[in-house]
């Protein structure tokens, strides 16, 4: 009932909508009422007094006239509850007027007239219910008045058929009332939905208006022909045209005139395809230039959806243009930072990998060949460490400029990090072309670099991998180029090497050795071999050198030349070296009574702060007297900063351990180190011993070493002695001891014990006639 009595705006608006529906059918209602009333008068003219019928018809005309005037007086729009009340009273009066015909005259009518009257009353009941259905209360008042006037005389007749008809009439009224109620509810729901849709439409229109006034985006709408039918305030500003000049113009033509590449612009092609599909699309990017001669680009994103007519076909498009220039510029800057080196401006590793992948794809698709060149500066670490990082950065910039100067426009040069660079040569005609280019790069980089009025020598080593022969993937290509670069550095630097398959095999073996070393100690795969050292004059064994041996179940017997270098590069040498020290001391204390032993120490070990503790622990756990242990080092430790090495040597010396310089004369050290540290022994390298009988300079070097050692109070030991004649020359030169295959090859501990047990029966080998011609050689 709130619908009929509430005075709020919503109910008033709903009542106004319902009354507007009733007003649309007022003419039909008036006409049907007048015709129906006239039919009743004519049908009952012979059974009812004429003046009574005319009086009733006159009352009907007056009532309909007043109803018409009330509808005209009623304002459109919202309706107050009083308006519905007035309509209810008029409807009730009309229903009672029609019911009076049945109540007053039905009994005196003939059978034919009765049937006519019942039919007219049923028609009036149905027509009135339909017309008043938007307002169930009004419709109910109409039907109740008619039923009251019809049922009473029918029931009062006493005839069973008429009484049954009265009951059916009441039932019919109930059904009609239910239908009216359902129609009213449906109508109210529809009106509420229309009102909500209108409210939302107003809200959307308000938001769009606000959006157009304040947003940086531009709304647009085109018709089926692609011409602008609506232009927002922002669009003329973006296009640089007045709104009147835009309306009716084709969208594609206006955009093509401003696209960076005209009608061939990728964004314009994508937009044309999207419009042709008649489907919504989002974020079609278009690069535009607002003036014909402008070089400054702007980037727009276009999104739109089709407008459909009542048949579901596309009648136009509505969309938005978003200016994303700032985001695009920021994205481009990030892309540059992500793909370039900040110091040199060259490409970085990310861009290099993308370019290598593109080159590999081109090799597969078109059969083109390319080359990947890896470059490493030879003297950069020395420059960086001695002069500082600022100088190093200047050198890197100069290298980058030189590399960029020799590149073709189709090539890519990148800095991988540190002093590593790489070049991708696209579409080479031959292997020689890549090698020739690498040689030209070497010439350019080997020229001195002038930094802050100072000339610096740089130099470089280069590794070349040919694609696709030397790599099917990015990582494989880079790895093989690195292997070639490593080979160039091993062979003397300042040179170029091309990858070869055996380099890959060596790399795989190195990797296998590195992985196997991690478990070698735990699996007890290491053993020690012993090579005796013999005093030349009395030919007695005065010591033995511990040599590390490794037999792997799959790799077999691995040479120390292989695995020691790997252990040094991976850092495993400390653990291995510590084990060798302790194991050698243990075996010497328990099985080599009174015999001095020597153990080689890696340069990496000697630079470690743990070496002194390792030596102390080995002596403590084994119980070996310190004077029986000799530590052998090589000259290479003095190439770099020797302060840590010298500190370790002095610490070891304070323990009472002997120190020997191994392979003396073959390294890079200065004789000044012999003064800074008092070595106990100098070991003459086997390279000089091997040439004693054939080269005079070798004999001179040996004699010089012996004299130097004697003057400094050091012992001398010659390694690699294999012939009695070599032994004799060394004896006459004054060398104190020797070791080598002439004495014995490296032996397991048990075999060394057997050799020592029978040694007293052996005498020094006689050189015989081998040294007759050169008996004075040692004196020259």
């Amino acid at each position: 009932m709130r619908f009929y009595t509430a005075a709020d705006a919503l109910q008033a608006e709903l009542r106004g909508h319902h009354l507007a529906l009733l007003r649309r059918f007022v003419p039909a209602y008036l006409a049907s009422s007048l015709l129906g009333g006239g039919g009743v008068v004519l049908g009952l003219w012979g059974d009812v007094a004429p003046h009574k019928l005319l009086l009733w018809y006159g009352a009907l005309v007056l009532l309909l006239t007043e109803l018409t005037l009330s509808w005209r007086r009623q304002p459109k729009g919202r309706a107050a509850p009083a308006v519905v009340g007035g309509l209810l009273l008029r409807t009730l009066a009309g229903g009672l007027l029609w019911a009076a015909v049945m109540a007053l005259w039905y009994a005196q009518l003939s059978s034919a007239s009765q049937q006519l009257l019942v039919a007219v009353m049923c028609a009036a009941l149905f027509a009135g219910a339909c017309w008043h259905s938007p307002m169930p209360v009004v419709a109910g008042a109409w039907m109740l008045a008619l039923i009251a006037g019809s049922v009473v005389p029918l029931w009062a007749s006493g005839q069973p058929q008429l009484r049954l008809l009265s009951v059916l009439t009441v039932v019919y009224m109930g059904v009609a009332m239910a239908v009216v109620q359902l129609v009213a509810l449906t109508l109210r729901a529809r009106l509420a939905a229309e009102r909500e849709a209108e409210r939302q439409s107003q809200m959307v229109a308000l938001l769009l208006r606000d959006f157009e006034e304040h947003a940086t985006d531009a709304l647009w709408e085109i018709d089926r022909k692609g011409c602008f039918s609506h232009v927002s305030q922002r669009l003329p500003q973006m296009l640089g045209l007045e709104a009147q000049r835009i309306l009716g113009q084709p969208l594609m033509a206006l955009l093509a005139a401003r696209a960076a590449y005209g009608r061939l612009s990728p964004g314009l092609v994508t937009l044309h395809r999207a419009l042709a599909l008649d489907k919504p699309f989002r974020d079609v990017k278009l690069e535009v230039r607002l003036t014909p001669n402008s070089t400054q680009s702007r980037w727009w994103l276009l999104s739109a959806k089709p407008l459909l007519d009542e048949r579901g076909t596309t009648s136009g498009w509505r969309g938005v243009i978003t200016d994303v220039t700032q985001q695009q510029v920021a994205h481009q800057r990030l892309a540059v930072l992500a793909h370039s080196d900040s110091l040199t401006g060259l490409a970085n590793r990310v861009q290099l990998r993308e370019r290598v992948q593109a080159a590999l794809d081109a090799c597969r698709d078109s059969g083109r060949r390319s080359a990947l060149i890896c470059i490493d500066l030879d003297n950069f670490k020395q420059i960086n460490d001695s002069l500082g990082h600022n100088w190093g950065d200047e050198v890197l910039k100069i290298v980058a400029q030189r590399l960029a100067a020799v590149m073709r426009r189709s090539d890519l040069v990148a800095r991988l990090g540190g002093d590593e660079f790489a070049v991708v040569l696209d579409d080479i005609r031959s292997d020689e072309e890549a090698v020739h280019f690498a040689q030209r790069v070497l010439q350019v980089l080997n020229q001195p670099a002038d930094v802050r009025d100072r000339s610096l020598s740089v130099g470089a080593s280069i590794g070349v991998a040919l694609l696709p022969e030397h790599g099917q993937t990015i990582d494989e290509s880079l790895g093989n180029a690195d292997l070639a670069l490593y080979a160039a550095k091993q062979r003397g630097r300042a040179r170029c090497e091309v990858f070869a398959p055996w380099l890959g095999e060596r790399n795989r073996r190195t990797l296998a050795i590195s992985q196997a070393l991690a478990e070698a100690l735990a699996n007890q795969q290491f053993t020690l071999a012993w090579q005796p050292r013999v005093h030349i004059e009395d030919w007695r064994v005065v010591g033995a050198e511990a040599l590390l041996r490794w037999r792997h179940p799959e790799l077999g017997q691995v040479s120390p030349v292989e695995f020691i270098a790997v252990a040094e590069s991976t850092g495993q040498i400390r653990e291995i070296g510590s084990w060798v020290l302790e194991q050698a001391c243990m075996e010497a204390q328990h099985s080599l009574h009174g015999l001095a032993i020597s153990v080689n120490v890696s340069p990496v070990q000697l630079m470690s702060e743990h070496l002194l503790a390792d030596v102390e622990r080995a002596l403590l756990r084994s119980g070996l007297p310190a004077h029986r242990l000799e530590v052998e080092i090589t000259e290479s430790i003095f190439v770099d900063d020797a302060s840590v090495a010298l500190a370790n040597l002095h610490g070891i010396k304070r323990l009472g351990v002997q120190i020997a310089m191994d392979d003396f004369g073959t390294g890079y050290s200065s004789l000044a180190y012999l003064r800074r540290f008092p070595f106990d022994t100098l070991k003459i390298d086997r390279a000089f011993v091997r040439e004693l009988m054939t080269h005079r300079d070798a004999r001179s070097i040996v004699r010089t070493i012996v004299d130097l050692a004697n003057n400094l109070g050091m012992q001398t030991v010659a390694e690699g002695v294999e012939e009695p004649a070599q032994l004799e020359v060394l004896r006459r030169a004054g060398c104190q001891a020797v070791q080598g295959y002439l004495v014995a090859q490296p032996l397991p501990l048990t075999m060394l014990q057997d050799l020592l047990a029978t040694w007293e029966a052996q005498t020094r080998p006689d050189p015989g006639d081998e040294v007759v011609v050169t008996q004075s050689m040692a004196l020259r």
Side-chain angles (χ1 to χ4, degrees):
M1 293 298 294
R2 189 170 182 274
F3 171 75
Y4 302 101
T5 59
D8 59 273
L10 175 60
Q11 300 302 327
E13 186 174 347
L14 290 177
R15 287 192 296 267
H17 281 292
H18 285 240
L19 291 175
L21 291 175
L22 294 179
R23 183 184 289 107
R24 292 171 56 187
F25 297 99
V26 166
Y29 176 74
L30 294 176
S32 61
S33 297
L34 290 174
L35 290 176
V40 169
V41 171
L42 293 176
L44 303 184
W45 188 263
D47 296 326
V48 181
H51 69 278
K52 293 180 179 180
L53 291 174
L54 293 175
L55 181 63
W56 176 84
Y57 192 72
L60 178 62
V61 172
L62 289 176
L63 182 62
L64 293 177
T65 301
E66 197 282 333
L67 179 63
T68 302
L69 295 176
S70 69
W71 278 110
R72 291 182 177 179
R73 290 192 303 268
Q74 179 185 332
K76 297 181 180 179
R78 296 179 181 180
V83 176
V84 178
L87 176 64
L88 177 63
L89 292 177
R90 296 182 189 90
T91 304
L92 183 61
L96 292 175
L97 185 60
W98 279 94
V101 176
M102 191 78 174
L104 296 174
W105 300 325
Y106 181 79
Q108 67 186 62
L109 298 178
S110 63
S111 177
S113 297
Q114 287 179 343
Q115 294 178 6
L116 173 64
L117 185 58
V118 169
V120 171
M121 295 301 291
C122 288
L125 180 68
F126 175 76
C130 289
W131 183 57
H132 295 102
S133 60
M135 292 188 173
V137 172
V138 178
W142 169 265
M143 290 189 289
L144 186 62
L146 288 181
I147 291 298
S150 301
V151 171
V152 172
L154 290 176
W155 184 267
S157 67
Q159 299 181 20
Q161 294 86 351
L162 296 179
R163 287 189 171 183
L164 178 60
L165 180 60
S166 66
V167 173
L168 292 176
T169 302
V170 173
V171 173
Y172 175 71
M173 173 191 168
V175 173
M177 193 63 200
V179 173
V180 167
Q181 189 70 27
L182 180 61
V183 171
L185 291 176
T186 303
L187 180 60
R188 289 179 193 174
R190 183 173 68 83
L191 291 176
E194 289 178 354
R195 187 177 185 278
E196 179 64 20
E198 183 179 358
R199 187 189 68 81
Q200 291 182 358
S201 177
Q202 293 174 353
M203 179 65 68
V204 170
L206 180 63
L207 292 175
L208 287 177
R209 189 180 306 110
D210 182 72
F211 178 81
E212 291 182 355
E213 292 176 355
H214 300 94
T216 58
D217 299 342
L219 299 176
W220 55 272
E221 185 174 324
I222 58 176
D223 56 23
R224 182 60 183 170
K225 296 180 179 180
C227 298
F228 282 102
S229 57
H230 172 75
V231 176
S232 66
Q233 295 181 2
R234 173 68 176 148
L235 186 60
Q237 301 174 11
M238 296 181 69
L239 292 175
L241 296 173
E242 297 179 357
Q244 293 79 3
R245 295 183 60 187
I246 297 176
L247 285 171
Q249 295 296 317
L251 168 68
M252 297 299 294
L254 289 179
L255 293 180
R258 289 157 179 78
Y261 304 100
R263 294 187 178 275
L264 299 180
S265 171
L268 209 58
V269 173
T270 303
L271 177 62
H272 184 271
R273 292 175 180 173
L275 293 172
L277 292 175
D278 281 350
K279 292 182 179 179
F281 60 87
R282 290 183 58 83
D283 298 341
V284 175
K285 184 178 290 187
L286 181 66
E287 182 182 357
V288 298
R289 295 185 179 133
L290 299 183
T291 57
N293 298 324
S294 174
T295 58
Q296 184 177 4
S297 296
R298 302 195 69 83
W299 282 267
W300 293 348
L301 289 183
L302 285 85
S303 302
K305 64 178 182 179
L307 301 176
L308 304 179
D309 57 18
E310 62 277 2
R311 294 174 296 178
T313 58
T314 301
S315 60
W317 290 81
R318 180 181 294 138
V320 63
I321 299 177
T322 305
D323 192 321
V324 293
T325 303
Q326 293 183 352
Q327 297 91 315
Q328 181 71 19
V329 171
H331 176 75
Q332 289 178 344
R333 289 175 180 172
L334 290 176
V336 170
L337 293 176
H339 290 78
S340 63
D341 177 61
S342 58
L343 176 64
T344 62
L346 300 178
N348 62 4
R349 185 181 294 271
V350 174
Q351 189 173 352
L352 175 75
R353 291 179 65 88
E354 293 176 354
R355 189 62 171 271
V356 172
Q357 184 60 61
L360 292 173
D361 293 341
C363 291
R364 284 190 292 267
D365 298 340
S366 62
R368 292 194 314 179
R369 300 179 69 246
S370 301
L372 175 61
I373 298 176
C374 285
I375 305 168
D376 188 85
L377 304 183
D378 291 336
N379 302 320
F380 181 75
K381 185 178 185 302
Q382 182 179 355
I383 295 173
N384 223 21
D385 293 344
S386 60
L387 300 178
H389 292 286
N390 290 336
W391 287 71
D393 290 347
E394 294 297 326
V395 170
L396 292 175
K397 292 178 182 178
I398 292 175
V399 170
Q401 292 170 1
R402 292 180 177 180
L403 289 174
V406 298
M407 294 296 110
R408 301 176 304 181
R409 298 185 64 178
S410 60
D411 300 333
L412 176 76
V413 57
R415 181 184 173 217
L416 302 183
D419 60 345
E420 298 180 24
F421 296 82
V423 176
V424 178
L425 295 181
D426 273 335
D427 195 16
I428 59 173
R429 292 180 292 274
S430 64
D431 300 351
E432 290 75 15
E433 181 180 352
V435 175
H436 177 73
F437 174 82
Q439 295 293 346
R440 184 151 54 97
V441 170
L442 278 179
Q443 293 175 0
V444 170
L445 296 185
N446 284 334
Q447 296 175 4
D450 294 329
V451 180
R452 302 180 185 180
D453 298 328
R454 185 169 179 174
S455 181
L456 301 178
S457 176
V458 183
S461 299
I462 294 180
V464 179
L466 302 173
L467 307 180
E469 296 92 332
H470 297 159
Q472 298 296 321
T473 64
I474 299 175
D475 292 330
E476 184 183 6
S477 303
L478 288 171
N480 289 341
D482 276 337
L483 287 175
L485 173 62
Y486 180 73
K489 284 187 169 294
Q490 280 193 322
R491 295 181 181 180
R493 303 189 176 189
R495 59 183 291 125
C496 168
E497 291 290 338
V498 179
F499 173 78
W502 64 269
L503 292 175
E505 292 295 334
R506 184 179 66 182
N507 183 58
R508 283 188 286 271
R509 179 167 176 81
T510 300
L511 179 61
I513 289 174
S514 175
Q515 294 173 341
L517 275 175
E519 302 177 352
L521 276 178
N523 295 336
Q524 300 180 348
Q525 295 172 358
F526 288 125
T527 58
L528 294 181
W530 295 90
Q531 188 171 39
R533 179 187 302 174
V534 178
H535 192 270
I536 295 179
E537 290 298 332
D538 55 13
W539 203 243
R540 60 186 176 85
V541 178
V542 293
E545 181 179 0
L547 301 172
L548 183 61
R549 297 293 181 262
W550 179 29
R551 177 174 290 278
H552 188 269
E554 296 179 2
L555 300 175
Q557 191 72 37
V558 185
S559 168
V561 177
E562 280 191 294
F563 72 79
I564 292 298
V566 175
E568 288 178 337
S569 64
T570 60
Q572 297 166 306
I573 190 65
R574 180 191 177 268
E575 187 178 3
I576 295 173
S578 177
W579 178 87
V580 171
L581 274 170
E582 187 169 333
Q583 185 67 19
C585 292
M586 288 283 190
E587 293 185 8
Q589 178 65 8
H590 294 96
S591 305
L592 304 176
H593 303 291
L595 198 65
I597 64 168
S598 60
V599 178
N600 289 281
V601 173
S602 161
V604 177
Q605 282 181 273
L606 196 59
M607 297 295 292
S608 171
E609 59 184 10
H610 303 288
L611 177 61
L612 184 58
D614 291 342
V615 174
E616 289 179 327
R617 183 169 53 253
L619 294 174
L620 180 63
R621 290 182 178 180
S622 64
L624 183 74
H627 70 274
R628 289 180 57 192
L629 174 62
E630 181 181 69
V631 172
E632 295 187 12
I633 65 171
T634 62
E635 292 177 287
S636 60
I637 64 166
F638 300 119
V639 175
D640 297 318
D641 183 11
S643 58
V644 177
L646 286 174
N648 278 331
L649 289 176
H650 283 290
I652 294 172
K653 188 68 175 178
R654 285 193 294 270
L655 295 176
V657 176
Q658 304 293 299
I659 308 293
M661 172 72 78
D662 196 14
D663 301 333
F664 183 76
T666 62
Y668 305 96
S669 70
S670 168
L671 293 178
Y673 285 109
L674 296 180
R675 297 181 58 194
R676 293 177 58 184
F677 185 83
F679 290 95
D680 298 291
T681 304
L682 294 182
K683 299 191 72 174
I684 303 171
D685 187 71
R686 67 182 67 247
F688 301 127
V689 174
R690 185 168 54 249
E691 297 178 349
L692 279 175
M693 309 307 296
T694 58
H695 293 76
R696 177 179 293 181
D697 57 351
R699 295 191 294 273
S700 298
I701 291 173
V702 169
R703 183 53 185 262
T704 301
I705 294 174
V706 172
D707 291 343
L708 178 64
N710 290 335
N711 292 332
L712 295 175
M714 303 177 188
Q715 299 291 316
T716 53
V717 177
E719 295 182 295
V721 179
E722 298 180 358
E723 302 172 5
Q726 295 171 342
L727 176 64
E728 182 62 20
V729 173
L730 290 168
R731 185 187 68 79
R732 295 181 183 184
C735 182
Q736 285 90 7
V738 296
Q739 64 185 75
Y741 279 21
L742 180 63
V743 177
Q745 63 182 8
L747 302 171
L749 179 61
T750 56
M751 295 182 66
L752 177 62
Q753 290 176 308
D754 293 342
L755 178 65
L756 294 177
T758 60
W759 186 259
E760 293 182 0
Q762 299 189 26
T763 59
R764 186 174 68 239
D766 184 3
D769 297 334
E770 293 183 60
V771 78
V772 172
V773 179
T774 59
Q775 57 184 349
S776 62
M777 285 181 179
L779 302 178
R780 296 181 184 177

